[in-house]
Amino acid sequence: MIDCAACPLHKRPMFLPFTPEEIVFMRGFKVSEDTFQPGDTLLHQGERSDRLFTVLDGFATRSIQLEDGRRQVVNFVFPGDFLGLQAGIMGEMRHSVQATTPMRVCVFQRSRLWDLFRDKPDRAYDLTWIAAVEEHFLGETIATLGQRDATERVAWALARIWQRLSALGLGTTEGVQLPFRQHELADALGLSAVHTSRTVSTLREMGLVAWKRGKLNMLDPQRLFTLAGLPMEREEQRPLI
Amino acid sequence: MIDCAACPLHKRPMFLPFTPEEIVFMRGFKVSEDTFQPGDTLLHQGERSDRLFTVLDGFATRSIQLEDGRRQVVNFVFPGDFLGLQAGIMGEMRHSVQATTPMRVCVFQRSRLWDLFRDKPDRAYDLTWIAAVEEHFLGETIATLGQRDATERVAWALARIWQRLSALGLGTTEGVQLPFRQHELADALGLSAVHTSRTVSTLREMGLVAWKRGKLNMLDPQRLFTLAGLPMEREEQRPLI
DNA sequence: TTACAAACTTAACGCATGTTAATGCGGTCC
DNA sequence: GGACCGCATTAACATGCGTTAAGTTTGTAA
């Protein structure tokens, strides 16, 4: 089990470093590690979970299953993301989390979440910070699904994913390895898989992106971000739990 | 200024009561009250705000403005809702809050938010609870916008609003007073105002609801909730900040 | 009582996107 | 090498929703 002082996530510049005090606390808070394979469900919609996770490595989707089987991907999960707050705070997950690649996660105990609030207000503040940022992204997603057409939506999703992967240091001059399939992108954007394919082709023809066999390349980031309605800023550093 | 011990919101059974200790703390935390008129903007997208609010009375929308003027209503604001967490935690609002009726709000100081985490872990926990519930509703909204057709969307929105107003004790046998216009509903659901009108008519013809001159009546709640993909449960009690 | 504005309704038409189905293409297993 | 499988692409057609524009209704103020 990796010691929190040697946490590989902290090598990524997008995360705020731990103070020595935080390291001590997190060592006590962390229970174990676990791994998952593509397709595994880490957290089940409708169920409680005694375990909370921080993603060390790998990718996943958060998704909501409707009564009749339709599926909405609420957002994508990246290394550093904290999973299970809903189960931790509200008792029951309202969405599922499913691995799309092999994953490695840190495991925490739900029952000790209250300790964190009682003993470590700064960590509690960070947790709320994370929740607030999450809320902001969900709001942006709602605006995208509600107001933008297919081209803008796909541009938005690719831009956001690329931005996040780059911040994680997973980009090369050869482009980034996209850990999601077109079908998942479609489920995230409220589009059919067929129309998503058409739309990606359009972006290709417009000379904005190249996306082939899981490799995404930005040919014209400026124009892509404009189309997506996003500023080309670097993401703010975020705390880790 | 209303004393927190006499807070009118706590008369509503949907809110958890304050402990005597909490009353003492909230009296110190609350700075003042303020009122707003329909159309007033309480919090501005892109701006910081030194003030956080709890809605005592009245209704509002949270909405995101796109570069080109399109508007997405992210959700509706009801009495008891806490406003400004984003500005409080992240620094800058990513959406605006606009009154749709006259409003009365409690005012808190952003600079004292940290005190709350340091001195009152139970209140901090409640705040995070609120953020987690908010996150859950936003996820449900994303699923609705992404997967459901116009009829289901309108049914969902009316069901959720009716549910909330009922929980607040604002329903009578004559139905509830809807504080939002069809145009705002359209902006919340990613539909045009015209199609929203058509769709409401459909629901009327199906004998599910009556909505005329701001009065909403549920003619067949069971079927409406089924169409909306919602269980007909009472909402959980929630804490107030 | 009339006039006017705001909100809602209805109708006609076009287009973006969904659906179904066939095709292609790279990876993998034997 | 051949057969298969998952995934992406392309084409043909259907449809739900947007758009524009013309009513209608209600509230309000002169």
Side-chain angles (χ1 to χ4, degrees):
Chain A
M1 182 165 113
I2 293 172
D3 184 273
C4 294
C7 179
L9 288 171
H10 282 290
K11 294 197 193 101
R12 317 289 187 183
M14 73 170 287
F15 300 112
L16 292 165
F18 276 159
T19 64
E21 236 184 81
E22 282 171 343
I23 290 176
V24 172
F25 177 80
M26 293 310 291
R27 270 206 271 255
F29 195 53
K30 178 173 175 180
V31 175
S32 63
E33 282 171 20
D34 203 350
T35 60
F36 296 95
Q37 291 311 308
D40 286 356
T41 302
L42 286 74
L43 295 164
H44 295 259
Q45 176 174 345
E47 294 184 7
R48 301 177 161 275
S49 168
D50 289 334
R51 308 201 304 166
L52 311 176
F53 306 114
T54 288
V55 179
L56 283 172
D57 208 20
F59 302 89
T61 58
R62 276 189 245 250
S63 62
I64 292 179
Q65 190 87 22
L66 304 195
E67 323 71 57
D68 58 4
R70 284 174 289 181
R71 182 180 85 134
Q72 173 70 33
V73 170
V74 175
N75 59 23
F76 295 109
V77 173
F78 297 88
D81 281 354
F82 183 73
L83 302 174
L85 185 63
Q86 280 193 2
I89 296 253
M90 296 175 43
E92 187 179 293
M93 292 300 294
R94 300 310 182 95
H95 59 253
S96 298
V97 179
Q98 258 203 330
T100 60
T101 68
M103 298 183 79
R104 200 160 42 108
V105 301
C106 285
V107 180
F108 311 110
Q109 265 186 56
R110 180 194 165 177
S111 54
R112 300 195 39 210
L113 193 57
W114 168 245
D115 302 352
L116 186 147
F117 277 84
R118 191 191 49 212
D119 302 334
K120 282 284 163 194
D122 51 342
R123 299 269 66 202
Y125 192 88
D126 284 343
L127 189 64
T128 307
W129 192 95
I130 288 172
V133 170
E134 199 61 51
E135 220 180 294
H136 154 231
F137 279 114
L138 295 183
E140 190 178 296
T141 304
I142 289 172
T144 300
L145 297 192
Q147 301 299 325
R148 299 200 217 266
D149 67 22
T151 315
E152 296 170 313
R153 288 191 218 184
V154 172
W156 172 79
L158 293 181
R160 276 297 190 199
I161 293 172
W162 179 78
Q163 191 176 44
R164 189 71 187 277
L165 291 173
S166 300
L168 284 165
L170 298 176
T172 69
T173 51
E174 297 297 290
V176 299
Q177 190 70 31
L178 265 208
F180 310 108
R181 327 209 156 283
Q182 282 197 12
H183 191 265
E184 280 148 349
L185 195 62
D187 281 349
L189 297 176
L191 298 171
S192 68
V194 172
H195 197 61
T196 303
S197 171
R198 280 198 281 255
T199 307
V200 171
S201 301
T202 306
L203 293 179
R204 247 195 295 269
E205 282 157 22
M206 292 169 73
L208 300 187
V209 301
W211 181 12
K212 199 97 193 173
R213 261 171 290 162
K215 274 271 191 215
L216 175 68
N217 228 325
M218 299 298 256
L219 304 181
D220 193 339
Q222 185 60 256
R223 277 210 296 152
L224 188 79
F225 273 74
T226 305
L227 180 57
L230 294 171
M232 267 193 58
E233 297 162 358
R234 194 166 238 306
E235 283 190 36
E236 204 179 346
Q237 275 195 315
R238 56 175 82 194
L240 277 173
I241 300 289
Chain B
M1 184 166 113
I2 294 171
D3 183 274
C4 293
C7 179
L9 288 171
H10 282 291
K11 295 197 192 100
R12 316 292 187 183
M14 73 171 286
F15 300 112
L16 292 165
F18 276 158
T19 63
E21 236 184 82
E22 281 172 344
I23 290 176
V24 172
F25 177 80
M26 291 311 290
R27 271 206 271 254
F29 194 54
K30 178 173 174 180
V31 175
S32 62
E33 283 171 19
D34 204 350
T35 59
F36 296 95
Q37 292 310 308
D40 286 356
T41 302
L42 285 74
L43 295 164
H44 295 259
Q45 177 174 344
E47 295 184 7
R48 301 176 161 274
S49 168
D50 289 334
R51 308 201 304 166
L52 312 175
F53 306 115
T54 288
V55 178
L56 283 173
D57 208 20
F59 302 89
T61 57
R62 277 188 243 252
S63 62
I64 292 179
Q65 191 88 23
L66 304 195
E67 323 71 57
D68 59 2
R70 285 175 287 181
R71 182 180 85 135
Q72 174 70 35
V73 170
V74 176
N75 61 20
F76 295 109
V77 173
F78 297 89
D81 281 355
F82 184 73
L83 302 174
L85 185 63
Q86 281 194 0
I89 295 253
M90 296 174 44
E92 187 179 293
M93 292 300 295
R94 300 309 181 96
H95 59 253
S96 298
V97 179
Q98 257 203 330
T100 61
T101 68
M103 299 184 79
R104 199 160 42 111
V105 300
C106 286
V107 180
F108 311 111
Q109 265 186 58
R110 181 195 165 179
S111 55
R112 300 193 42 206
L113 194 57
W114 168 245
D115 302 351
L116 185 147
F117 277 85
R118 190 192 50 211
D119 302 334
K120 283 282 163 193
D122 50 342
R123 298 268 66 202
Y125 192 88
D126 285 342
L127 189 63
T128 307
W129 192 96
I130 288 171
V133 170
E134 200 61 50
E135 220 179 295
H136 153 231
F137 279 114
L138 295 184
E140 190 179 295
T141 304
I142 289 171
T144 300
L145 297 193
Q147 301 300 324
R148 299 199 217 269
D149 68 19
T151 315
E152 297 170 312
R153 287 191 218 184
V154 173
W156 172 79
L158 293 181
R160 276 299 191 198
I161 294 172
W162 180 78
Q163 192 176 44
R164 189 71 188 277
L165 290 173
S166 300
L168 285 165
L170 298 176
T172 69
T173 51
E174 298 297 290
V176 298
Q177 190 70 31
L178 265 208
F180 309 108
R181 324 205 158 287
Q182 282 196 12
H183 191 266
E184 279 147 349
L185 195 62
D187 281 349
L189 297 176
L191 298 171
S192 67
V194 172
H195 197 63
T196 302
S197 171
R198 281 198 280 256
T199 307
V200 171
S201 300
T202 306
L203 293 179
R204 246 195 296 267
E205 281 156 23
M206 293 169 72
L208 300 186
V209 300
W211 181 13
K212 201 96 191 175
R213 263 171 289 164
K215 273 272 192 214
L216 175 69
N217 228 323
M218 300 298 256
L219 303 181
D220 192 338
Q222 186 60 257
R223 276 211 296 154
L224 187 80
F225 273 74
T226 305
L227 179 58
L230 293 171
M232 268 196 54
E233 297 162 357
R234 193 165 239 308
E235 283 188 37
E236 204 179 347
Q237 276 195 314
R238 57 176 81 193
L240 277 173
I241 301 290

